[in-house]
Amino acid sequence: MELISNLIYQLGGGIYNLLSFSLIISVIVFVHEYGHYIIAKAYKVKVESFSIGFGPGIFGFYDKSGTRWKLSAIPLGGYVKMLGDNNAASIPIDQQELTEEEKSYSLHTKPRYQKAAIVFAGPFANMIFAIIALTIFFSVVGYYHTPPVIGKVIEGSAAKQAGLLPGDTITQINEHKIKYFEDISRVMMSNPETKIEIKYSRNNEEYSTSLTPLTIEDKDIFGNIIERKTIGITSVNIKELKQSSFLGAVSLSVSETYHTMCLTIKALFQIIVGKRSVNEIGGPIKIAKYSGQSAKKGFIMVLYFMAIISANLAAINLLPIPLLDGGHLFHYIIEAVIRRDLSLKYQKYAATFGASVLFLLMAIAISNDIRHLF
């Protein structure tokens, strides 16, 4: 009986996570695709369809300009298909097949700077969304600008063994300048190296030391057990440092969006070169789990989660992989250099390669998600 109750409970939780995931990812995808859409319309490109999700359509409608707006069955993305596209991945058809009137509204007959602007508008919309969402989050819950001063050194920690003391000011870790205490954890996350070089000041004198961070189990903001690196220090008392000014929230939101995107790209590069494990790649199941957890904590936490996912989506889409927005931008750069369009044959081969890379990454991500469930 207890086993059946547990299964029902897990099933209910899974459905809740799935619904939360579908809603959150649909909003983020809509923002991304609407970025493409609005700039395409500004450059007089005909948009044939605007889909949230892939696969067969669940329902939809046509607007007065002839665009088919629809919600599709698989909530793992979306697309805007424009006149001149052969498919949702924006692989062009032979433009000679179009009438002269159709050519004037085709994406692929527009100047390269216009095509580039349309392509870049998707990731840019996600950046703007992340900044707005984080600004609301920080304005409501407040934020900290904690000085990088050590408040306490944990006994037996790497910092203790390296000779760091309370009152020391951390000024640099490896090549990264430290402005706030929060920068320390950000640098630790982006550097998988086992040994780090720390510069610090004590009594107005500069010192340096090297140490090896320890990996400990901790909990994230949703209560999940995670592994993180630590050197064993805490900050000074921050109770009186909480701020909530609007301009400060905007500035911090821009900074957090930028650092989130940089960390995403850097982590992927480190996985490719073998400095990080492929086990760190998370997929839709993990995102669904976090979607449900954020939804249970209320709208403001959902907003924070959506901001992080939106910034991640912007970063990933700017990678120069065919089928992604960054792949299209890379093609336009090549065309600008060689001063001619790339052949349709090349673009089809590139699309096949890009699809293979993306399917491989998705397979790894889903495999990791399933393994972490058990």
Side-chain angles (χ1 to χ4, degrees):
M1 192 69 181
E2 184 179 349
L3 177 61
I4 295 175
S5 298
N6 287 337
L7 287 174
I8 293 174
Y9 177 79
Q10 291 180 6
L11 180 61
I15 293 173
Y16 182 83
N17 290 347
L18 179 61
L19 292 174
S20 300
F21 168 79
S22 298
L23 178 60
I24 288 173
I25 206 69
S26 293
V27 171
I28 295 170
V29 168
F30 177 84
V31 168
H32 179 94
E33 300 303 335
Y34 192 73
H36 293 311
Y37 172 84
I38 197 169
I39 302 302
K41 296 294 286 186
Y43 286 131
K44 296 186 173 17
V45 174
K46 178 175 175 55
V47 179
E48 296 183 327
S49 57
F50 187 118
S51 176
I52 301 300
F54 296 111
I58 300 174
F59 67 87
F61 63 91
Y62 287 94
D63 65 17
K64 61 182 181 181
S65 67
T67 300
R68 172 72 172 173
W69 297 74
K70 61 180 180 177
L71 182 66
S72 298
I74 306 173
L76 292 177
Y79 62 88
V80 172
K81 184 177 180 297
M82 304 179 198
L83 181 63
D85 288 341
N86 186 46
N87 51 37
S90 287
I91 305 302
I93 62 173
D94 186 347
Q95 301 300 295
Q96 298 305 315
E97 297 176 8
L98 303 176
T99 66
E100 290 303 315
E101 182 181 5
E102 287 175 330
K103 287 179 183 178
S104 65
Y105 294 102
S106 170
L107 168 67
H108 302 283
T109 58
K110 298 296 181 180
R112 287 192 191 95
Y113 78 90
Q114 293 186 6
K115 291 190 289 186
I118 293 169
V119 167
F120 180 72
F124 184 70
N126 283 126
M127 295 179 213
I128 298 300
F129 177 83
I131 291 170
I132 293 173
L134 287 174
T135 297
I136 296 172
F137 176 82
F138 290 129
S139 295
V140 172
V141 305
Y143 55 92
Y144 301 96
H145 279 322
T146 316
V149 178
I150 298 176
K152 180 181 178 182
V153 179
I154 308 300
E155 288 295 330
S157 66
K160 185 73 173 180
Q161 295 172 12
L164 293 173
L165 297 174
D168 290 348
T169 300
I170 306 295
T171 57
Q172 186 171 325
I173 298 179
N174 292 342
E175 72 279 10
H176 302 280
K177 298 291 184 181
I178 302 299
K179 185 177 180 181
Y180 302 112
F181 196 89
E182 292 78 15
D183 296 333
I184 298 173
S185 59
R186 180 182 293 124
V187 171
M188 299 286 288
M189 288 175 61
S190 64
N191 286 274
E193 293 84 1
T194 55
K195 201 167 189 178
I196 60 175
E197 186 79 17
I198 293 180
K199 292 183 179 180
Y200 61 97
S201 65
R202 178 187 298 166
N203 299 325
N204 296 320
E205 293 188 23
E206 297 297 322
Y207 299 89
S208 68
T209 185
S210 59
L211 55 81
T212 301
L214 299 177
T215 301
I216 64 170
E217 283 194 347
D218 199 1
K219 290 185 177 181
D220 60 23
I221 59 175
F222 300 115
N224 300 300
I225 301 298
I226 59 171
E227 288 188 348
R228 69 175 181 87
K229 289 187 175 181
T230 179
I231 61 175
I233 61 174
T234 62
S235 66
V236 294
N237 194 322
I238 60 176
K239 288 183 179 179
E240 297 180 0
L241 298 174
K242 187 173 179 179
Q243 304 175 44
S244 58
S245 74
F246 177 74
L247 291 179
V250 172
S251 176
L252 182 58
S253 299
V254 172
S255 175
E256 286 298 307
T257 300
Y258 170 77
H259 286 298
T260 299
M261 292 177 64
C262 288
L263 180 60
T264 300
I265 294 172
K266 188 172 183 179
L268 284 173
F269 177 76
Q270 289 168 343
I271 290 171
I272 292 170
V273 299
K275 288 187 176 182
R276 287 182 182 270
S277 170
V278 294
N279 294 332
E280 294 188 34
I281 300 176
I285 298 175
K286 183 176 182 179
I287 297 174
K289 175 184 175 182
Y290 277 82
S291 297
Q293 291 174 338
S294 67
K296 289 176 182 178
K297 288 184 174 292
F299 173 74
I300 198 67
M301 191 56 70
V302 170
L303 206 58
Y304 175 81
F305 181 67
M306 290 172 70
I308 300 303
I309 296 297
S310 190
N312 274 277
L313 180 63
I316 291 171
N317 263 281
L318 288 173
L319 294 173
I321 299 174
L323 295 188
L324 297 181
D325 295 326
H328 293 302
L329 290 171
F330 185 63
H331 285 175
Y332 299 149
I333 292 172
I334 294 175
E335 289 178 342
V337 171
I338 64 177
R339 297 185 179 182
R340 61 179 174 82
D341 292 343
L342 293 168
S343 68
L344 291 178
K345 184 177 181 181
Y346 165 80
Q347 294 189 57
K348 289 177 181 177
Y349 281 135
T352 301
F353 169 76
S356 300
V357 171
L358 295 177
F359 279 130
L360 175 61
L361 289 174
M362 182 60 73
I364 293 172
I366 293 175
S367 174
N368 289 341
D369 286 352
I370 292 173
R371 187 169 61 255
H372 292 152
L373 285 176
F374 302 101

